[in-house]
């Protein structure tokens, strides 16, 4: 039971709620507007429907405005005028639009003859009418009442519409016959335009008028079929003076002010352009409450607008617009007003990049043409018609085009200003490009100088640095091993293989170099105490910076290396090599230049070559070094002072004991050093190149000696002069020898040149050998006999014989000493003598000191000899006496 009751109660509640809902009246109801249906014919500018279903036009806007006042909603029904009328009569629509037929703007009256059964209501000047059934006077009254209300509130509503729609096309140009005749009779009109304000109006350098005004004048001239000749004038007042005097017909652009025009005997056309003025401010500062305004003093707008807008206390006067802008830019003023057309150009041309234009039009004025009132009034009427004919679109596009044209002629600076991002990207890319190029150039230069350095310091044939590099890098390495140095554990070692020239002769240089590289690598690997090494340019001498290995003396360490390098494998052949080794301990303290250390170890090495013993640099050698230095300092002066003297040693025919020839040998009678023989200085002079000069001195002395003897009718025997090996690489050697021969004109056979065999040993390669034999042949041609001196001291004597056609073989004293000692050596000497003779050479042996030696040589077939046994080298003066004595003896 209870359940049924509950059910019932629920039902009652639902019904109650439902009842209440239906009983509550709606709180607000939409105001139902009656609908008026308007028949229209699609007509642009009056009433038209676009593709999106929206309506446009003067008629449309007027109707909607009226509808608002009437409180009705309009529904538009399209149709032809005839269809519209039919619908109106049938009551399907309430109203029909009817456009103005003529462009003549007649006063608003009712249509003179509305279609039958209709009444008309004018909608306004130039807009048209509404037609409605003449049976509906109430509707007509209603509409007219609304129109009246509207007019009383907004009397210019219709005119604004007219302006809005009509202007887009411009009025048609309809000239009367009289006007046309006038234009025909006056095809040229003289005019002037305001001076320099690009792009508003300005003259180019060749006097052409350009800018917005020029373009508008061109359109006017072309529309009217006339020419407007515009001549430039520098200022406004003289331009107006021309107009006042009637010298020109018109001024193209004048502030539309009738009083002003009258003062200058001018009439004004209707305005053709509105000039808007915009504010120019500084970017970096907001406008203060009472800004200082920069005003161009003589401009009319200063008086007409600025002085009216701001109190005198805020105005600051300048001569020109440019000065006003500059004042704002320089913080002398806060704001100025400029013509919107010229504003951008003013900013760019003046480079006022801290200024900006607000874009808000602060005031405007209109521009008209001032026509001289001396001209036919018809001209102004024609111009007015033409101005009405100009469309706003035409003028806007001229302005836009001209503003752009001026901007496009901007400076680079303004271009950057206008295109900041593009400029930034361009400049950064340029900079990046420059930086990359610089880096590349630097990289290339570094690479190049590295290559140059390497070329100058590296011997790629053996993959080793040269001695120049060693000297350059020695200080760095000594610094790196400074601790060891201070303990006296650093030393230099120079080593060269004995018989190296012979080995070069035996093996190809390539094979030799390859073996040298392998050897070097092996020794470096086994002896980490070899700190840095290099090789001399001729690959003969190896120089090493060493750390003293634990438990070794310098000499023991050097011997260890000599032992390890004692066998080479060259061309798969095991070769035994002995070494000349020079050593030099690096002093624990004190300043020693790398060059000095190098000289010291080289000196020790030289000594080891001479003594065939490992030599450590010591005090005696140091003295030697000092002596050499001293000799170097003195040598040039000594030559000038005649300290070098010529000694002569006779050469004998062993069989007849006759002195047949002589050898010139140099001596140095030095006031500082005493009497020196070549053994004391010749090596040094070979080393420093002075031998070349000395040889020429000796040769010329002998030439002179022989010449004098010949001139004096004294007997002359051939005298030989020693020639250093350096001549073979001397430039112009042969030319100089030829010159000497030409100078003295000695008969053939007076002079002989002695060339040591070792001097020619350097000529290892095929080409170099060719060079040497060319030199020998040329010397022959010049007239010198040639002796191969010190024959058999080198290791390639036989090869020399083969290549070089020499006249005399001078067998070295050592061969004679050897022959005295051993029968084997005797056999060799015998065969060498025979070999020389069989090659048509005179064979002479040097250094004969004993009778036994002389006899031995005779028994071995040697015909000629030279030595202390016969005569020692003697001064020139003494030699003359010797010759006489000798002649008497024999
Ligand atoms: P050389 O051309 O082989 O001259 C022979 C050398 O042997 C001379 O030494 C001479 O004094 C020496 N001598 C001569 N007879 C004997 C002897 O019986 N026993 C010994 N033990 N020696 C003897 P000197 O004059 O000291 O010249 C040494 C070298 O210096 C010369 O050797 C020559 O190569 C070089 N020399 C000398 N004068 C000149 C020169 O004007 N120019 C050049 N470039 N080198 C020169
Ligand atoms: Mg000689
Ligand atoms: Mg000799």
């Amino acid at each position: 039971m209870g359940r049924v009751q509950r059910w019932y109660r629920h039902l009652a509640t639902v019904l109650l709620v439902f009842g209440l809902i239906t009983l509550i009246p709606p709180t607000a109801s939409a105001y139902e507007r009656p609908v008026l249906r308007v028949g229209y014919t699609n007509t642009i500018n009056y009433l038209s429907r676009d593709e999106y279903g929206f309506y446009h036009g003067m008629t449309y806007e007027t109707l909607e405005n009226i509808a608002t006042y009437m409180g009705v909603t309009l529904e538009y029904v399209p149709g032809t005028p005839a269809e519209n009328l039919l619908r109106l009569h049938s009551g399907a629509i309430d109203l029909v639009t009817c456009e103005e037929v003529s462009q003549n703007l007649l006063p608003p009256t009712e249509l003179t003859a509305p279609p039958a059964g209709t009444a008309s209501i004018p909608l306004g000047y130039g807009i048209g009418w509404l037609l409605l059934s003449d049976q509906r006077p109430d509707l007509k009254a209603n509409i007219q009442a609304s129109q009246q209300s509207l007019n009383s509130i907004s009397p210019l509503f219709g005119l604004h519409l007219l302006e809005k729609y009509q202007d887009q096309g411009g009025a048609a140009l309809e000239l009367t016959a009289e006007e046309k005749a006038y234009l025909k009779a006056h095809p040229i009109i003289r005019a002037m335009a305001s001076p320099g304000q690009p792009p508003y109006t300005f003259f180019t350098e060749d006097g052409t008028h350009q800018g917005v005004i020029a373009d508008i004048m061109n359109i006017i001239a072309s529309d009217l079929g006339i020419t407007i000749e515009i001549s430039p004038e520098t200022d406004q007042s003289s331009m107006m003076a021309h107009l006042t005097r009637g010298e020109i017909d018109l001024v193209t652009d004048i502030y539309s002010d009738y009083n002003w025009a009258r003062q200058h005997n001018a009439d004004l056309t209707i305005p053709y352009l509105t000039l808007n003025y915009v504010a120019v401010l500084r970017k970096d500062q907001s406008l203060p409450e009472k800004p200082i305004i920069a005003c161009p003093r003589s401009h009319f707008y200063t008086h007409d607008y600025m002085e009216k807008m701001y109190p005198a206390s805020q105005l600051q006067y300048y001569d020109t617009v440019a000065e006003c802008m500059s004042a704002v830019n320089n913080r002398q003023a806060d704001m100025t007003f400029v013509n919107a057309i010229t504003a951008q150009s003013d900013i760019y041309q003046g480079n006022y990049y801290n200024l900006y234009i607000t874009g808000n039009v602060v005031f405007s004025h209109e521009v008209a043409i001032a026509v001289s009132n001396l001209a036919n009034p018809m001209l102004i009427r024609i111009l007015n018609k033409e101005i009405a004919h100009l469309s706003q679109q035409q003028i806007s596009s001229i302005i836009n085009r001209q503003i752009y044209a001026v901007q496009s002629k901007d400076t680079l600076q303004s271009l950057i200003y206008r295109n900041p991002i593009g400029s930034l990207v361009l400049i950064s890319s340029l900079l990046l490009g420059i930086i990359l190029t610089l880096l590349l150039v630097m990289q290339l230069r570094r690479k190049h100088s590295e290559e140059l350095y390497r070329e100058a310091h590296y011997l790629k044939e053996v993959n080793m640095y040269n001695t120049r590099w060693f000297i350059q890098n020695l200080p760095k390495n000594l610094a790196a091993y400074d601790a060891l140095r201070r303990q006296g554990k650093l030393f230099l070692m120079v080593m060269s293989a004995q018989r190296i020239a012979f080995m070069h002769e035996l093996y190809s240089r390539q094979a030799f170099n390859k073996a040298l590289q392998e050897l070097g690598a092996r020794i470096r690997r086994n002896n980490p105490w070899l700190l840095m090494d290099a090789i001399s340019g001729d690959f003969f001498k190896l120089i090493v910076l060493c750390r003293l290995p634990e438990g070794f003396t310098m000499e023991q360490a050097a011997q260890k290396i000599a032992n390890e390098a004692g066998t080479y494998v060259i061309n798969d052949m095991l070769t035994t090599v002995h070494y000349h080794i020079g050593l030099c301990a690096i002093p624990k303290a004190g300043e020693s230049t790398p060059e000095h250390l190098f000289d010291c170890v080289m000196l020790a090495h030289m000594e080891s070559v001479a003594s065939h013993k490992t030599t450590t640099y010591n005090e005696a050698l140091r003295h030697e070094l000092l002596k050499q230095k001293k000799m170097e300092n003195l040598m040039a002066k000594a030559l000038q002072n005649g300290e070098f003297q010529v000694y002569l040693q006779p050469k004998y025919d062993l069989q007849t004991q006759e002195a047949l020839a002589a050898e010139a040998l140099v001596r140095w009678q030095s006031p500082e050093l005493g009497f020196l023989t070549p053994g004391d200085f010749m090596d040094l002079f070979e080393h420093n190149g002075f031998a070349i000069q000395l040889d020429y001195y000796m040769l010329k002395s002998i030439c002179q000696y022989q010449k004098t003897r010949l001139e004096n009718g004294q007997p002359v025997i051939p005298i030989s002069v020693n020639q250093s090996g350096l001549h073979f690489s001397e430039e112009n050697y042969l030319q100089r020898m030829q010159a000497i021969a030409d100078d003295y004109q000695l008969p053939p056979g007076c002079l002989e040149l002695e060339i040591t065999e070792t001097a020619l040993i350097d000529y290892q390669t095929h080409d170099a050998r060719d060079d040497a034999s060319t030199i020998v042949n040329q010397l022959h041609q010049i007239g010198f006999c040639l002796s191969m001196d010190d024959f058999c001291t080198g290791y390639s004597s036989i090869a020399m014989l083969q290549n070089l056609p020499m006249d005399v073989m001078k067998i070295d004293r050592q061969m004679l000493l050897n022959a005295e000692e051993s029968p084997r050596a005797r056999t060799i000497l015998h065969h060498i003598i025979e070999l020389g003779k069989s090659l048509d050479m005179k064979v002479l042996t040097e250094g004969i000191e004993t009778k036994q030696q002389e006899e031995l040589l005779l028994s071995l077939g040697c015909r000629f000899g030279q030595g202390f046994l016969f005569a020692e080298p003697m001064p020139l003066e003494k030699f003359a006496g010797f010759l006489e004595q000798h002649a008497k003896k024999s």
Side-chain angles (χ1 to χ4, degrees):
M1 184 64 201
R3 216 173 177 199
V4 172
Q5 266 180 350
R6 245 191 338 262
W7 217 89
Y8 180 75
R9 257 205 314 271
H10 282 317
L11 185 66
T13 314
V14 170
L15 283 176
L16 186 68
V17 170
F18 183 76
L20 279 174
I21 288 170
T22 50
L23 280 177
I24 294 169
T27 48
S29 75
Y31 176 76
E32 282 292 323
R33 293 183 178 214
V35 173
L36 278 181
R37 279 157 305 166
V38 183
Y40 74 101
T41 306
N42 213 51
T43 314
I44 299 290
N45 280 349
Y46 290 90
L47 207 167
S48 60
R49 188 174 189 269
D50 69 17
E51 55 186 313
Y52 306 108
F54 296 114
Y55 296 96
H56 306 274
M58 295 182 287
T59 314
Y60 170 69
E61 288 196 35
T62 310
L63 286 177
E64 285 296 315
N65 209 352
I66 293 169
T68 317
Y69 269 77
M70 290 171 68
V72 297
T73 302
L74 297 180
E75 257 181 37
Y76 296 93
V77 182
T80 61
E83 286 167 351
N84 290 342
L85 272 182
L86 274 176
R87 288 190 188 127
L88 188 70
H89 290 311
S90 70
I93 57 175
D94 305 297
L95 298 164
V96 171
T97 62
C98 174
E99 283 77 44
E100 197 85 51
V101 182
S102 153
Q103 288 292 332
N104 284 338
L105 305 177
L106 296 171
T109 53
E110 296 201 14
L111 267 180
T112 37
T118 66
S120 69
I121 303 171
L123 288 178
Y125 294 117
I127 296 176
W129 298 267
L130 270 182
L131 296 180
L132 72 172
S133 165
D134 57 4
Q135 302 302 308
R136 298 186 65 177
D138 50 329
L139 178 59
K140 184 175 176 182
N142 206 348
I143 292 173
Q144 283 177 326
S146 300
Q147 276 184 311
Q148 257 169 27
S149 314
L150 248 172
N151 279 340
S152 62
I153 291 163
S154 178
L156 299 178
F157 180 78
L159 284 178
H160 284 150
L161 278 183
L162 207 58
E163 201 174 49
K164 179 172 167 188
Y165 288 94
Q166 287 285 10
D167 245 348
Q168 289 178 1
L173 179 63
E174 283 171 8
L175 296 178
T176 63
E178 209 186 354
E179 287 164 345
K180 284 180 185 162
Y182 174 83
L183 289 176
K184 207 161 182 196
H186 301 86
I188 294 176
I189 291 181
R190 297 159 305 155
M192 279 187 174
S194 315
Q197 285 180 67
Y200 174 55
T201 165
F202 62 101
F203 288 88
T204 57
E205 276 175 14
D206 62 359
T208 322
H209 187 217
Q210 291 214 328
V212 172
I213 301 297
D215 283 4
I216 294 174
M217 290 305 135
N218 281 341
I219 293 174
I220 293 177
S222 119
D223 283 355
L224 298 179
I226 53 166
T227 305
I228 303 177
E229 272 180 359
I230 303 173
S231 42
E233 184 52 73
T234 44
D235 74 289
Q236 191 115 18
S237 56
S238 57
M239 181 175 73
M240 293 313 290
H242 284 294
L243 188 70
T244 311
R245 293 197 293 269
E247 289 159 9
I248 51 173
D249 303 314
L250 55 85
V251 166
T252 56
D253 54 305
I254 286 297
Y255 168 43
S256 184
D257 177 338
Y258 286 93
N259 290 311
W260 197 65
R262 191 184 300 198
Q263 276 170 30
H264 294 92
N265 297 343
D267 295 323
L268 292 180
T269 62
I270 55 169
Y272 62 90
L273 185 66
T274 301
L275 286 190
N276 297 321
Y277 283 76
V278 289
V280 174
L281 309 173
R282 223 172 25 254
K283 275 183 196 160
D284 57 2
Q285 183 206 40
S286 66
L287 205 59
E289 209 174 308
K290 287 184 176 173
I292 301 294
I293 314 296
C295 316
R297 193 170 282 118
S298 58
H299 273 262
F300 69 89
Y301 60 79
T302 299
H303 315 296
D304 283 11
Y305 297 99
M306 297 189 181
E307 287 174 358
K308 286 176 187 155
M309 288 161 71
Y310 294 93
S313 58
Q314 278 177 247
L315 299 177
Q316 213 156 279
Y317 292 89
Y318 297 90
D319 282 345
T320 61
V321 175
E323 281 176 30
C324 290
M325 294 189 91
S326 170
V328 179
N329 197 49
N330 300 337
R331 299 166 185 272
Q332 291 164 3
D334 300 309
M335 177 160 67
T336 190
F337 300 104
V338 297
N339 175 351
I341 296 179
T342 62
Q344 283 294 341
S345 163
D346 289 342
I347 285 191
Y348 295 145
Q349 303 302 316
N351 290 333
Y352 301 130
Y353 300 117
N354 196 25
L355 299 187
Y356 80 101
I357 304 157
T358 58
N360 176 35
V361 176
V362 183
F363 54 85
S364 312
H365 73 75
E366 297 194 304
V367 175
I369 300 174
V371 183
S372 164
N373 60 13
L374 300 174
N376 188 323
M378 203 174 311
L379 177 58
I380 202 161
R381 288 206 298 272
I382 296 170
L383 288 171
N384 276 345
K385 275 191 180 172
E386 168 59 22
I387 289 168
H389 171 66
L390 292 173
S391 77
Q392 202 52 49
Q393 261 175 359
Q394 265 179 313
I395 295 195
S396 301
S397 69
I398 286 174
I399 293 174
N400 290 338
R401 200 175 56 234
Q402 285 292 343
I403 288 179
Y404 178 79
V406 167
Q407 280 189 14
S408 64
K409 280 186 221 139
D410 280 348
T411 56
L412 178 67
Q413 215 175 340
S414 63
L415 198 78
I416 293 171
Y417 174 75
R418 279 189 284 120
N419 307 292
I421 305 229
S423 308
L424 199 73
V425 170
L426 191 76
I427 291 170
S428 338
S429 341
L430 276 175
L431 274 178
L432 197 74
I434 291 171
I435 291 171
L436 285 178
T437 315
L438 278 177
L439 284 177
L440 194 74
V441 168
M442 276 163 63
Q443 170 90 3
L444 285 177
R445 281 188 63 171
R446 207 178 53 218
K447 227 174 138 191
H448 183 63
S449 48
E450 270 173 19
E451 265 167 29
L452 281 182
Y453 182 85
R454 212 175 151 79
E455 225 158 76
H457 296 90
Y458 200 73
L459 298 167
K460 45 183 177 304
E461 295 88 338
V462 284
N463 275 333
M464 285 180 82
Y465 285 104
N466 64 16
T467 46
R468 197 178 320 155
W469 172 89
F470 189 89
I471 294 172
Q472 266 183 22
N473 286 272
L474 188 59
K476 202 168 67 188
N477 279 277
L478 290 184
Y481 297 105
D482 195 49
L484 286 170
R485 181 188 179 165
R486 275 186 274 125
Q487 293 166 32
K489 286 193 172 168
L490 290 186
F491 67 98
L492 290 178
M493 171 169 74
V494 168
M495 57 194 288
S496 66
Q498 296 178 11
R499 300 188 303 130
I500 185 132
F502 172 66
M503 291 200 319
H504 271 190
E505 202 47 39
L506 208 58
Y507 307 105
S508 79
R509 185 162 267 234
Q510 255 175 340
F512 187 80
N513 289 344
K514 188 169 166 252
L516 190 68
Q517 279 184 62
E518 284 167 3
L519 178 77
R522 174 155 57 88
I523 291 190
R524 272 187 226 110
R525 208 170 37 242
N526 294 345
N527 300 282
W529 48 274
L530 302 177
L531 304 177
M532 72 185 277
D533 55 67
I535 197 160
S536 61
D538 56 9
F539 308 136
F540 285 4
K541 289 182 277 281
L542 184 79
I543 178 161
V544 194
L545 171 68
C546 313
R547 163 173 63 81
L548 198 62
E550 212 55 56
F552 281 76
T553 63
M554 258 194 309
E555 290 73 12
Q556 288 167 336
Q559 197 49 54
K560 178 172 188 293
I561 297 298
N563 294 342
E564 284 177 26
T567 47
Y568 269 45
V569 177
I570 309 180
N571 280 355
D572 297 328
M573 267 167 59
L574 199 65
T575 310
T576 306
V577 186
H578 297 285
Y579 291 90
H580 300 301
I581 298 178
L583 299 167
C584 172
I586 302 224
K588 290 180 186 176
E591 286 294 306
S592 322
T593 63
E595 289 82 7
H596 173 76
L597 293 172
F598 182 78
D599 284 350
C600 293
V601 74
M602 279 299 176
L603 196 70
H605 176 261
M606 253 162 66
E607 185 55 30
S608 93
V609 173
S611 65
H612 294 277
K613 276 187 237 141
T614 295
T615 310
T616 304
Y617 176 78
N618 55 28
E619 272 305 294
L621 282 174
R622 197 175 76 88
H623 281 298
E624 177 63 25
L625 193 66
L626 286 175
K627 196 173 148 199
Q628 284 192 4
K629 285 266 177 279
K630 204 164 177 189
M631 282 197 278
E632 280 197 314
N633 293 339
L634 294 171
M635 62 191 187
K637 203 97 192 122
L639 190 65
Q640 274 180 15
N641 296 346
E643 291 174 27
F644 290 102
Q645 296 169 357
V646 183
Y647 273 53
L648 290 174
Q649 186 183 30
K651 298 176 188 171
Y652 278 75
D653 182 331
L654 302 181
Q655 286 174 359
T656 64
Q657 296 292 307
E658 222 181 320
L660 295 173
E663 176 177 13
L665 296 161
V666 68
R667 298 291 180 265
W668 184 358
Q669 181 64 61
S670 163
E672 292 89 354
L673 305 166
F675 183 80
L676 305 176
T677 59
D680 299 318
F681 54 81
M682 219 52 221
D683 273 352
L684 175 70
F685 292 176
E686 292 271 349
H687 187 65
N688 65 23
F690 187 68
I692 290 183
Q693 285 185 58
L694 190 58
D695 281 1
Y696 284 118
Y697 170 78
M698 293 291 287
L699 180 62
K700 284 180 186 172
S701 303
I702 292 303
C703 287
Q704 188 55 53
Y705 178 74
Q706 298 286 60
K707 197 177 170 191
T708 316
R709 281 188 73 88
L710 281 171
E711 282 168 0
N712 295 342
Q714 294 167 304
V716 164
I717 54 165
I719 300 179
S720 61
V721 179
N722 288 285
Q723 292 287 284
S724 154
L726 296 176
H727 292 291
F728 287 80
S729 44
E730 182 198 349
E731 236 180 302
N732 304 329
Y733 175 52
L734 291 168
Q735 285 96 312
R736 289 181 79 175
M737 294 302 273
Q738 181 69 59
I740 291 171
D742 293 347
D743 275 358
Y744 293 95
Q745 298 284 344
L746 294 173
C750 285
L751 288 174
E752 230 177 76
L753 300 177
E754 295 196 9
I755 300 162
T756 60
E757 184 206 290
T758 40
L760 296 165
I761 281 172
D762 285 347
Y763 285 76
Q764 293 295 324
T765 64
H766 193 73
D767 287 352
R769 273 194 193 131
D770 278 356
D771 283 353
S773 74
T774 312
I775 291 172
V776 166
N777 285 327
Q778 296 274 332
L779 288 173
H780 264 142
Q781 271 180 21
I782 297 173
F784 295 106
C785 283
L786 296 173
S787 298
M788 188 172 280
D789 203 354
D790 304 339
F791 194 71
C792 281
T793 42
Y795 295 91
S796 44
S797 311
I798 308 297
M800 294 283 157
L801 284 183
Q802 184 188 318
N803 289 299
L804 303 175
M806 310 286 262
D807 307 293
V808 182
M809 174 190 279
K810 283 189 85 179
I811 297 171
D812 192 68
R813 176 164 188 261
Q814 191 59 43
M815 283 303 285
L816 175 60
L817 298 181
N818 292 350
E820 273 189 307
E821 294 298 311
S822 103
R824 252 182 111 74
R826 253 197 308 283
T827 310
I828 292 173
L829 181 57
H830 172 65
H831 283 286
I832 286 174
I833 292 166
E834 288 308 314
L835 179 66
K837 289 203 283 196
S838 65
L839 288 171
D840 278 342
M841 295 172 90
K842 272 190 181 174
V843 181
L844 179 147
T845 305
E846 303 181 280
I848 308 173
E849 292 181 353
T850 62
K851 207 69 193 142
Q852 291 89 324
Q853 286 170 343
E854 185 192 6
E855 278 158 14
L856 174 64
L857 285 169
L858 275 172
S859 73
L860 292 175
C862 177
R863 171 101 187 257
F864 302 99
Q866 178 184 356
F868 299 157
L869 176 67
F870 310 105
E872 294 203 2
M874 61 195 86
L876 271 186
E877 315 82 57
K878 205 173 160 194
F879 190 69
F882 164 81
L883 274 187
E884 273 170 38
Q885 288 275 319
H886 183 75
K888 276 184 208 156
K889 246 195 258 172
S890 49

